[in-house]
Amino acid sequence: MTTLKPRLLSLDVFRGATVAAMILVNNPGSWGHIYPPLEHAEWNGCTPTDLIFPFFLYIVGVAIAFAFGSKKEDQAQHSKLILRAFKRGLILFFLGFFLALFPAFEFSTVRIFGVLQRIGIVFFICAVLFIKTSTKTQLRTLLFVLILYWVLLTLVPVPGVGYPNLDKETNLAAWLDRLIITEQHTWKAARTWDPEGILSTLPAIGTGILGMLAGTWLRRKDKTESEKIAWMFSLGFISALLGQIWGLAFPINKSLWTSSYVLYAGGLATMMLALLYWMIDVQGYKRYTKPFVAYGVNAITVFFMSAIIVKVMSRIKIDLDGEQVGLQTWLYKSFFTPYLSDLNASLAWAVTFVLFWLLILWPMYKKNIIIKV
């Protein structure tokens, strides 16, 4: 039988690798020179980059099962646990909102939703579901959410358009964002829809539920490690396959966070976690895990601070060949582009940025400094 460990090392590694990948793809040297796997799909489809955010939400779900699993049995503690979850979700939301405001603080055009905001919402709702409901209810909720979202986007006529569709600016999710958030508060790159908007948060909660179910499965004491891994691989494969099949009618799409995308990305995340669990927690292959753990235990901190630093660097102006450019542009054009091809220079900058943060996170990890959000 399995002996539960106080902390799932494979989960920290998975989280750390995911947030490091987030920083890598968010910080190329030039947005005009990116290798295709490091770009998002234009609309339908899924690149490796499109898997990073759902992997993180899935990990949030797994972590909820481990954080609240032993505490939910005491119903007298439920209110306290839900309040704790609400506070954390609210902090995450406002950290994301602050990032959108910083450094200009233009409230009239600030983007209301974003990555950290979605993490906060998904965390809180999934935590309440986990604390107050059974595993069967959580599974039923997942199925209900995925089917409801499919019905809404493919069968409900869009006001002002007259028919249901999945196009960028005329789908139901985009219409709802413009109605409630308004165009000036949506994603700046589009202003007519938001990839982290209101309606698409519904299936994103489904991604968190998938992680919760996996976490609950890993915590079971009546299953051997071999049984856990075998079932996770099997169910993860089935989920990814179902996502591909459903995608024939309801395309896999990150921006819409379609139901097929939830199953596909969640299935791959389940198989990835099963592989890491087998390698690290079962077989004990821990030699190269520490850099990822250093990222994993301070994941939100490094994501937030890396975005702040990028914005600060853009405000620091330096002369370059008679032109005033931001510090990042100056560093990139002075030390990267003269020696590498455009694509490799852009990638090298992103990798350097990831390593720079590792230099900061490593001593924090060694000294057990964990900034909890």
Side-chain angles (χ1 to χ4, degrees):
M1 291 295 177
T2 303
T3 301
L4 290 179
K5 300 174 177 61
R7 191 175 186 103
L8 198 64
L9 184 59
S10 54
L11 185 62
D12 283 334
V13 171
F14 194 10
R15 185 190 296 110
T18 301
V19 76
M22 275 187 180
I23 293 172
L24 180 76
V25 302
N26 286 345
N27 297 280
S30 167
W31 287 103
H33 300 98
I34 307 173
Y35 281 102
L38 301 180
E39 290 189 274
H40 290 291
E42 176 61 26
W43 189 241
N44 293 333
C46 186
T47 70
T49 297
D50 291 319
L51 295 173
I52 294 172
F53 195 13
F55 276 19
F56 197 88
L57 289 185
Y58 177 93
I59 290 164
V60 167
V62 178
I64 286 171
F66 277 86
F68 297 113
S70 59
K71 301 171 184 176
K72 68 176 290 185
E73 297 171 6
D74 183 2
Q75 292 192 3
Q77 296 295 314
H78 282 192
S79 296
K80 182 179 178 181
L81 294 176
I82 291 173
L83 180 60
R84 173 181 155 193
F86 177 74
K87 288 180 178 178
R88 185 163 191 247
L90 199 62
I91 289 171
L92 287 167
F93 189 95
F94 279 105
L95 283 175
F97 190 65
F98 178 84
L99 271 184
L101 281 170
F102 184 84
F105 291 92
E106 292 286 348
F107 284 89
S108 62
T109 57
V110 65
R111 184 187 179 198
I112 294 175
F113 292 96
V115 171
L116 286 176
Q117 293 95 315
R118 174 162 285 185
I119 292 172
I121 294 169
V122 170
F123 169 78
F124 172 65
I125 293 176
C126 284
V128 173
L129 275 172
F130 183 81
I131 293 165
K132 301 300 291 185
T133 66
S134 66
T135 301
K136 286 184 179 180
T137 300
Q138 292 161 27
L139 179 58
R140 293 189 186 111
T141 302
L142 169 64
L143 296 175
F144 173 75
V145 162
L146 297 185
I147 293 171
L148 174 64
Y149 190 63
W150 167 68
V151 168
L152 289 174
L153 259 64
T154 61
L155 299 179
V156 176
V158 181
V161 177
Y163 59 92
N165 70 93
L166 301 176
D167 295 334
K168 279 186 181 182
E169 298 184 355
T170 55
N171 65 77
L172 188 65
W175 170 80
L176 190 64
D177 288 339
R178 291 194 298 272
L179 177 68
I180 298 178
I181 306 173
T182 70
E183 290 187 9
Q184 63 264 36
H185 295 295
T186 55
W187 186 41
K188 289 182 179 180
R191 285 306 190 198
T192 52
W193 56 277
D194 199 307
E196 279 80 48
I198 297 172
L199 193 58
S200 62
T201 299
L202 187 65
I205 293 167
T207 300
I209 294 174
L210 274 174
M212 280 169 23
L213 295 173
T216 300
W217 175 255
L218 282 173
R219 291 189 71 256
R220 289 185 60 167
K221 297 179 181 180
D222 61 335
K223 301 295 180 182
T224 65
E225 289 167 336
S226 297
E227 287 176 312
K228 292 178 182 180
I229 294 165
W231 275 102
M232 285 182 70
F233 266 117
S234 301
L235 293 176
F237 177 80
I238 292 170
S239 178
L241 181 61
L242 288 175
Q244 288 276 26
I245 294 171
W246 200 352
L248 298 175
F250 192 26
I252 291 172
N253 185 305
K254 177 192 176 293
S255 295
L256 289 174
W257 213 280
T258 52
S259 303
S260 57
Y261 174 68
V262 172
L263 292 179
Y264 177 68
L268 294 180
T270 301
M271 288 190 286
M272 178 61 73
L273 180 58
L275 176 62
L276 292 173
Y277 177 68
W278 173 76
M279 290 176 58
I280 298 168
D281 292 294
V282 178
Q283 297 298 318
Y285 296 137
K286 302 176 182 178
R287 186 174 179 181
Y288 302 107
T289 60
K290 289 184 179 180
F292 298 108
V293 175
Y295 258 97
V297 295
N298 277 301
I300 296 296
T301 300
V302 68
F303 179 83
F304 177 81
M305 289 307 301
S306 65
I308 290 289
I309 290 297
V310 168
K311 293 192 173 192
V312 169
M313 286 197 296
S314 71
R315 306 284 282 198
I316 301 173
K317 300 300 181 181
I318 300 177
D319 182 80
L320 179 66
D321 299 328
E323 180 186 0
Q324 292 293 307
V325 299
L327 175 58
Q328 176 177 328
T329 301
W330 182 82
L331 290 170
Y332 176 62
K333 290 188 175 181
S334 298
F335 299 103
F336 291 83
T337 57
Y339 309 105
L340 296 167
S341 68
D342 290 338
L343 282 172
N344 287 334
S346 185
L347 176 60
W349 171 268
V351 171
T352 301
F353 199 63
V354 172
L355 294 176
F356 166 77
W357 281 104
L358 181 59
L359 291 176
I360 296 173
L361 293 169
W362 185 256
M364 291 176 64
Y365 167 66
K366 297 297 285 185
K367 294 178 181 180
N368 199 30
I369 299 174
I370 301 174
I371 302 175
K372 295 185 178 180
V373 177

